[in-house]
Amino acid sequence: MASESVTLFLLCTVVMMIVRILMGFSKRKIYKFPPGPTPLPIIGNMHLLDIVRQDLSFMEIAKKYGPVFTFHFGSSKAVVLVGYEANKDALVGASHDFGNRAPIPISDDFQNNHGVIFSNDEIWKVTRRFTLSILRDLGMGKKPIEGRIIEELQFLNAEIQSYNGKPFPKKVLYFAAPNITFRMLFGRRFDYDNPTFQRMISLMDDIVVNTGTPGAKYYNIFPMLKYFFKEPGLVMDRINRLNEILKVLFKEAKEAKYEESFRTYIEAFMQKDEREKERDEKEKIFTEKNLLASAFDLMLGGTETTSTTLQWCILLMMKNPHIQKKAQDEIENVIGLERPPRWDDQKVLPYCLAVAHEVQRCANILQYFPHTTATDVHFKDYFIPKGTTVIPLFTSILNDETQWETPNQFNPNHFLDADGKFLKKDAFFPFSKGRRVCAGESLARMELFLFITGLLQKFTFTPPPGVSIGDLDLTPEVVFTMRTKNYHVCATPRN
């Protein structure tokens, strides 16, 4: 009897284990990824990827596997979205599901889930909401900022005028936009030759370059190789140097701040920090670490992208003198050559507004900015698990043949209707869309329109002597962003 009892007990145990296993299988979610190329061991699909122009590689792969496909970065799966329709459905139609930021080791090393660009969860929600509110209070998209942009335009015009028609480097065009951001952050502008200004610009440049090298991109895919690449150390060194400058500026702001109001983003942030002193250290959001991260994000967004777009604009004006002339004629006929342009002039300068938009489309500053799924997602015919990296390929949207008549040409008519009136285009994605749309979009739009119109009002831009239009190279220099190659330009006054 004892042996029979033991046998019965063991049999019941085995049956229960089988039932539990079967129940586990029945509860397990069956995910379905989009099709994609077959991965190789260890490297995944990396043999198919041009590490510098990943966008072109993805667009080529999409020809075989469709606009939504799976790509293996080593052992990690990512879903790539190619073209306007796929990205619209994900970023706009399912904004929350696709709304988290993917890990980017080269930036996560110093941002550590802080700031407004590279963060997620509660710290992102609170910091972004605060940042948008304060920037609006400081005049983003309104008259106060318009006045500062127009004032900065005069400084930029004077700097260009100082070359007396002789060639000057493209870096001169980089100096105006940072001062708009610095005024909102620190309450002051810097002369272009100010050592602190030049140091901050130089450090930002080093960071942008070193986070976009092939070594940095391989590190992002294979983080375990960190110490085999020089870029992580170089970037952290530049970040530490930049933070030392920022801390000095923060200290100055703290000493000058008002008790019951604020004049800058830094002052507003510090007031929040004061009110959080009673909270547990782990729960605090308005810390110095988050302030440094947020200031960096605003500097990156307000310096690199706008300034680089402006550099693309002048290069494209030299390359397309007939378009430059048409924009200048509109300016001269409508507002003249004396009073500076205003934001409201976009209503009466449709061609100039179209030029500003087409520059952004052709410049294509970012190939993509990776997201992750915030939850398990049913998307089209697929079931994608939470935490999957998603690549919304901006290049493929801004060059989508179904949305643009001549996607590979600089053509302001893309943004004009048959009557010459400005035409909004849904496929215009330079600021992304949905939950992760650029927080400074309204500021960048105003800056670009006023700077571009104001420069074309005062100058005609041509290649230096001995350089023909055919010599001008539109091939981008790929770093963290897509920059122009180095060039020089001559500016002839229009008076």
Side-chain angles (χ1 to χ4, degrees):
M1 288 295 292
S3 61
E4 290 178 358
S5 297
V6 171
T7 301
L8 183 61
F9 172 76
L10 291 173
L11 181 61
C12 290
T13 301
V14 170
V15 170
M16 288 176 64
M17 289 176 64
I18 293 172
V19 169
R20 286 182 179 178
I21 291 170
L22 291 175
M23 288 179 66
F25 275 120
S26 68
K27 291 180 179 179
R28 185 176 298 172
K29 295 178 181 179
I30 307 300
Y31 296 108
K32 181 183 178 184
F33 277 84
T38 302
L40 298 177
I42 301 177
I43 67 170
N45 299 131
M46 292 299 294
H47 60 297
L48 303 176
L49 190 68
D50 178 342
I51 198 67
V52 175
R53 290 304 305 267
Q54 298 180 31
D55 54 342
L56 301 183
S57 297
F58 290 142
M59 289 165 71
E60 192 63 30
I61 294 170
K63 293 178 182 178
K64 181 175 181 179
Y65 294 100
V68 182
F69 64 86
T70 299
F71 188 89
H72 292 76
F73 289 94
S75 60
S76 300
K77 290 182 179 180
V79 173
V80 183
L81 307 174
V82 175
Y84 167 65
E85 290 296 336
N87 280 280
K88 179 193 69 173
D89 291 346
L91 300 187
V92 180
S95 180
H96 182 272
D97 294 343
F98 290 91
N100 278 5
R101 178 66 66 216
I104 307 175
I106 195 72
S107 56
D108 293 342
D109 282 348
F110 58 86
Q111 293 299 71
N112 293 301
N113 196 40
H114 287 83
V116 293
I117 295 180
F118 302 96
S119 59
N120 281 310
D121 306 320
E122 187 67 14
I123 198 165
W124 172 74
K125 293 177 186 176
V126 173
T127 306
R128 181 181 170 89
R129 190 184 309 122
F130 166 82
T131 298
L132 285 171
S133 174
I134 298 305
L135 292 182
R136 289 184 188 120
D137 288 345
L138 293 172
M140 184 175 72
K142 302 174 184 177
K143 288 290 182 183
I145 289 296
E146 178 187 41
R148 293 175 186 175
I149 296 170
I150 292 171
E151 181 185 359
E152 195 62 42
L153 172 63
Q154 310 312 311
F155 285 109
L156 179 58
N157 284 341
E159 182 71 16
I160 293 172
Q161 182 71 52
S162 71
Y163 286 86
N164 296 315
K166 295 179 180 179
F168 63 89
K170 71 166 190 172
K171 70 177 183 180
V172 171
L173 300 164
Y174 202 91
F175 296 153
N179 261 330
I180 306 303
T181 305
F182 291 167
R183 282 196 176 193
M184 299 180 82
L185 284 172
F186 315 121
R188 58 174 289 193
R189 74 171 299 277
F190 295 82
D191 291 335
Y192 296 155
D193 60 356
N194 178 285
T196 299
F197 178 82
Q198 287 288 337
R199 191 66 184 141
M200 286 194 288
I201 295 298
S202 176
L203 289 169
M204 288 291 297
D205 180 70
D206 282 353
I207 293 165
V208 168
V209 169
N210 282 294
T211 53
T213 61
K217 291 174 180 178
Y218 279 119
Y219 166 55
N220 286 335
I221 297 165
F222 302 106
M224 73 287 294
L225 300 178
K226 177 175 183 176
Y227 298 103
F228 289 88
F229 297 111
K230 64 180 180 179
E231 285 81 5
L234 285 173
V235 170
M236 282 304 303
D237 174 73
R238 302 309 188 267
I239 285 290
N240 290 334
R241 295 187 194 186
L242 181 62
N243 284 346
E244 289 305 311
I245 297 173
L246 291 178
K247 287 176 183 178
V248 171
L249 294 171
F250 293 170
K251 183 180 179 182
E252 291 175 359
K254 190 171 186 178
E255 291 171 350
K257 74 173 184 176
Y258 294 121
E259 291 300 320
E260 301 299 330
S261 62
F262 60 86
R263 297 166 298 169
T264 68
Y265 181 86
I266 301 302
E267 289 178 4
F269 200 104
M270 287 179 170
Q271 286 181 16
K272 279 282 191 178
D273 185 18
E274 291 289 329
R275 294 171 194 149
E276 275 198 333
K277 282 197 170 178
E278 302 302 317
R279 296 182 67 177
D280 184 89
E281 196 66 33
K282 293 181 179 179
E283 296 178 353
K284 288 185 178 180
I285 288 178
F286 294 92
T287 61
E288 181 181 73
K289 192 171 188 177
N290 196 19
L291 176 55
L292 288 167
S294 299
F296 173 82
D297 286 348
L298 292 174
M299 290 168 67
L300 178 67
T303 296
E304 173 63 20
T305 55
T306 303
S307 296
T308 297
T309 302
L310 196 56
Q311 292 175 338
W312 273 108
C313 176
I314 299 308
L315 179 60
L316 288 164
M317 291 300 97
M318 289 193 290
K319 191 76 170 177
N320 300 274
H322 62 291
I323 292 175
Q324 179 175 195
K325 178 67 164 57
K326 189 170 181 178
Q328 289 172 328
D329 288 345
E330 182 182 64
I331 294 167
E332 186 168 356
N333 293 332
V334 177
I335 67 170
L337 300 181
E338 295 304 320
R339 83 155 173 87
R342 295 189 289 262
W343 181 230
D344 281 346
D345 290 332
Q346 62 178 320
K347 300 170 185 176
V348 294
L349 296 173
Y351 193 77
C352 289
L353 185 60
V355 166
H357 280 69
E358 181 67 356
V359 166
Q360 291 175 81
R361 187 191 73 82
C362 288
N364 182 34
I365 296 298
L366 289 170
Q367 296 181 29
Y368 67 85
F369 219 137
H371 291 214
T372 57
T373 47
T375 183
D376 289 350
V377 179
H378 289 280
F379 182 68
K380 298 187 182 293
D381 296 326
Y382 312 114
F383 187 32
I384 305 168
K386 176 182 178 180
T388 300
T389 295
V390 177
I391 295 177
L393 197 63
F394 300 141
T395 305
S396 69
I397 309 168
L398 297 173
N399 291 276
D400 191 328
E401 293 181 353
T402 69
Q403 302 297 312
W404 311 99
E405 184 180 350
T406 56
N408 299 315
Q409 296 177 21
F410 180 66
N411 180 8
N413 289 326
H414 286 141
F415 295 93
L416 298 169
D417 64 17
D419 297 321
K421 295 179 180 179
F422 182 76
L423 182 66
K424 289 185 178 180
K425 299 294 286 283
D426 290 339
F428 185 64
F429 266 61
F431 301 103
S432 190
K433 296 276 187 178
R435 198 164 181 242
R436 287 283 175 167
V437 66
C438 173
E441 178 179 356
S442 63
L443 175 61
R445 285 179 182 271
M446 181 182 285
E447 284 183 275
L448 287 171
F449 175 76
L450 293 176
F451 283 142
I452 290 171
T453 306
L455 288 173
L456 294 179
Q457 180 188 45
K458 294 299 182 183
F459 303 101
T460 295
F461 297 95
T462 56
V467 178
S468 70
I469 290 176
D471 293 331
L472 298 174
D473 189 356
L474 297 181
T475 306
E477 178 186 332
V478 182
V479 286
F480 178 76
T481 53
M482 303 265 272
R483 291 176 166 180
T484 68
K485 294 184 182 299
N486 284 327
Y487 67 80
H488 281 69
V489 54
C490 294
T492 304
R494 299 185 65 238
N495 48 34

